[in-house]
Amino acid sequence: MRDAYQEQMSALNTVLGQMVEEVGRAMEMSTRSLLEADLELAERVISDHDAIAEQSVEAEDLAFKLMALQAPVAGDLRSIVSGFQLVSEIDRMGALALHVAKVARRRHPAKVLPEEVAGYFEEMGRLAVELAHNAHRVLESQDYHDALSLMDDDDAMDDLHRHLFTVMMDREWEHGVSAAVDVTLLGRYYERYADHAVLIARRVVFQATGKTPEQLLEAS
């Protein structure tokens, strides 16, 4: 019985890892479509989103089977509940990458971003993909030390997001309200994407230790 549980839990973590890699790839393509006004890339992200949704269903089915067939208790139950929560976090990351692609498609053939902010989004896109890769690593290792490190990785994203507003509030902003709205929304999408990657790390910490990151830090 225990071996069956471990195999099914491993299968769930594998699907979760595949999902987070897919949402990382989606955000990478979405960022390129945004920077290059590449309609083909934007359309690919939009069409590929169905595959992420299918993986979500598969992951939830695995979690339900673990719940129903293995009669989990204590730590096992904690891991399964965390699995449901992880599916939700990764789903939201995929949805945010999809939103970016839809903005690029809506503005095509024009570029969405004024030159003053394009560099910010190039770096935000790079950080978002890196966070997805790190989340995948944490899901595979289930190492709460790695997870705690990932939680610090979104500070750079927060800094970039704050600086965007400085640029838009500058008196020399000449791109109008529409561009300002696009930049504001897009900045929020990237910030929230990073937040969900951090929430994945928090779930893994709890899954591995039964404690929140704050409780671990207090105990150390």
Side-chain angles (χ1 to χ4, degrees), residues 176-190:
V177 173
S178 180
V181 169
D182 282 341
V183 170
T184 300
L185 283 175
L186 288 164
R188 182 62 173 160
Y189 295 155
Y190 282 89

Side-chain angles (χ1 to χ4, degrees), residues 55-120:
Q55 286 180 319
S56 295
V57 172
E58 180 184 354
E60 287 182 342
D61 284 347
L62 286 167
F64 277 121
K65 286 177 182 176
L66 278 163
M67 186 82 76
L69 301 179
Q70 300 299 334
V73 295
D76 293 347
L77 182 59
R78 184 173 68 233
S79 294
I80 296 169
V81 171
S82 293
F84 283 113
Q85 295 168 328
L86 287 165
V87 173
S88 177
E89 302 300 349
I90 300 169
D91 254 347
R92 289 169 183 166
M93 291 170 74
L96 289 161
L98 179 66
H99 291 334
V100 174
K102 285 183 174 180
V103 173
R105 182 177 68 174
R106 185 171 67 247
R107 298 301 185 196
H108 187 270
K111 285 188 176 182
V112 178
L113 303 172
E115 288 299 320
E116 292 95 319
V117 297
Y120 287 92

Side-chain angles (χ1 to χ4, degrees), residues 18-204:
Q18 291 170 347
M19 284 178 64
V20 83
E21 277 298 315
E22 287 297 324
V23 300
R25 193 174 299 114
M27 186 56 97
E28 183 177 19
M29 289 193 295
S30 290
T31 301
R32 285 175 55 201
S33 72
L34 195 65
L35 294 169
E36 301 167 14
D38 189 323
L39 181 60
E40 182 179 345
L41 274 178
E43 293 287 8
R44 192 187 310 173
V45 173
I46 294 164
S47 62
D48 287 352
H49 188 70
D50 287 344
I52 297 173
E54 289 172 5
Q55 286 180 319
S56 295
V57 172
E58 180 184 354
E60 287 182 342
D61 284 347
L62 286 167
F64 277 121
K65 286 177 182 176
L66 278 163
M67 186 82 76
L69 301 179
Q70 300 299 334
V73 295
D76 293 347
L77 182 59
R78 184 173 68 233
S79 294
I80 296 169
V81 171
S82 293
F84 283 113
Q85 295 168 328
L86 287 165
V87 173
S88 177
E89 302 300 349
I90 300 169
D91 254 347
R92 289 169 183 166
M93 291 170 74
L96 289 161
L98 179 66
H99 291 334
V100 174
K102 285 183 174 180
V103 173
R105 182 177 68 174
R106 185 171 67 247
R107 298 301 185 196
H108 187 270
K111 285 188 176 182
V112 178
L113 303 172
E115 288 299 320
E116 292 95 319
V117 297
Y120 287 92
F121 282 94
E122 184 174 6
E123 180 62 9
M124 290 170 84
R126 186 193 67 78
L127 288 170
V129 174
E130 185 177 296
L131 282 164
H133 288 325
N134 290 343
H136 185 189
R137 187 186 71 248
V138 164
L139 285 168
E140 282 194 336
S141 70
Q142 293 292 301
D143 186 323
Y144 75 89
H145 295 100
D146 283 348
L148 289 170
S149 295
L150 188 153
M151 291 178 59
D152 295 327
D153 289 348
D154 77 322
D155 290 346
M157 184 75 83
D158 290 337
D159 288 343
L160 287 164
H161 187 240
R162 282 192 294 270
H163 289 154
L164 274 177
F165 286 96
T166 302
V167 175
M168 287 188 295
M169 294 299 291
D170 193 288
R171 292 180 182 178
E172 296 182 6
W173 179 264
E174 299 174 347
H175 307 286
V177 173
S178 180
V181 169
D182 282 341
V183 170
T184 300
L185 283 175
L186 288 164
R188 182 62 173 160
Y189 295 155
Y190 282 89
E191 184 202 28
R192 289 301 298 152
Y193 186 98
D195 288 345
H196 288 299
V198 169
L199 285 170
I200 289 173
R202 291 184 66 89
R203 307 292 187 202
V204 171

